[in-house]
Amino acid sequence: MSDSISNEIEIRPLRSEDFDSLVQLDSVLLKSEERYAYWEKKFAAFRLRHPNLSLVTIHQGKLIGYIMGNISGWEFGIPAGTGWIEIMGVDPDYQRQGIARRMMDELMNQFRTLGVKTVYTMIGAKDEHIRKLFLSAGFNEGSWTQLERDL
Ligand SMILES: CC(C)(COP(=O)(O)OP(=O)(O)OC[C@H]1O[C@@H](n2cnc3c(N)ncnc32)[C@H](O)[C@@H]1OP(=O)(O)O)[C@@H](O)C(=O)NCCC(=O)NCCS
């Protein structure tokens, strides 16, 4: 990360007043309509979690990134207490400056503080740049396989 931006950003827990900025950033990243209903549900879910697992990056007052984690129960037989990175996004004007990596590092610190020993995520098999991002952050290939069936 360049020194200039690194010194100017703040990574902090998500607050309710971030809602509109988050919806807008999400719609820019997805190149789609603003998903107010989706984010309302997500915000309700985040409130049930530890507040330090939903983080945003702020630069000069502007929300430019987000990362949301969770700690799972026994879903799919995965042991309780496993951390998950669920969603992450960085404003296109700020990408490739190490902001996602910084947010991942901060989320890992929060997981460690909460006693989490292993963190999982899911990525698309063809999303090479996202694979690269996670490998550069110390993730390895896991031992689970996703199965699916068309209906
Ligand atoms: C994926 C995303 C969050 C990465 O954010 P970012 O701040 O640009 O990532 P970083 O700058 O921290 O990248 C760290 C490393 O990841 C890899 N990487 C990240 N984006 C990449 C890209 N577009 N192409 C190739 N490698 C990439 C590189 O190894 C990079 O290190 P380098 O720049 O020194 O080569 C951002 O591109 C994004 O918001 N994409 C749209 C939403 C999305 O796909 N989210 C992830 C799934 S939830």
Side-chain angles (χ1 to χ4, degrees):
M1 177 181 275
S2 70
D3 276 351
S4 54
I5 189 108
S6 166
N7 296 333
E8 288 171 10
I9 61 168
E10 178 197 5
I11 299 177
R12 62 151 173 82
L14 178 72
R15 298 177 189 152
S16 26
E17 64 259 31
D18 296 325
F19 183 78
D20 286 341
S21 307
L22 197 54
V23 172
Q24 272 155 29
L25 176 52
D26 169 70
S27 99
V28 168
L29 291 173
L30 285 188
K31 299 184 182 72
S32 74
E33 305 269 298
E34 287 152 347
R35 302 190 296 167
Y36 285 101
Y38 168 82
W39 282 104
E40 266 162 24
K41 281 191 200 140
K42 290 304 269 183
F43 260 64
F46 298 151
R47 269 187 214 108
L48 301 174
R49 299 177 183 174
H50 193 288
N52 293 357
L53 297 181
S54 305
L55 303 173
V56 292
T57 298
I58 307 294
H59 181 249
Q60 296 175 347
K62 185 182 177 194
L63 191 153
I64 58 159
Y66 57 85
I67 187 165
M68 312 308 180
N70 196 14
I71 300 176
S72 67
W74 276 96
E75 295 86 2
F76 313 109
I78 294 169
T82 302
W84 282 84
I85 296 184
E86 289 187 346
I87 37 174
M88 173 169 53
V90 172
D91 185 320
D93 291 343
Y94 289 84
Q95 289 179 6
R96 298 308 294 270
Q97 297 186 70
I99 289 172
R101 279 294 313 280
R102 270 278 295 276
M103 292 195 295
M104 289 165 85
D105 289 346
E106 182 54 33
L107 186 58
M108 294 305 128
N109 287 338
Q110 300 300 336
F111 278 136
R112 266 187 218 102
T113 303
L114 294 168
V116 169
K117 301 281 185 239
T118 312
V119 179
Y120 287 14
T121 196
M122 296 256 289
I123 64 166
K126 292 180 183 158
D127 289 337
E128 264 315 312
H129 71 290
I130 298 178
R131 176 183 301 273
K132 228 173 140 189
L133 170 63
F134 277 97
L135 293 181
S136 79
F139 281 69
N140 299 303
E141 299 284 337
S143 55
W144 291 79
T145 304
Q146 177 243 346
L147 302 176
E148 64 184 44
R149 171 185 160 178
D150 290 330
L151 297 176

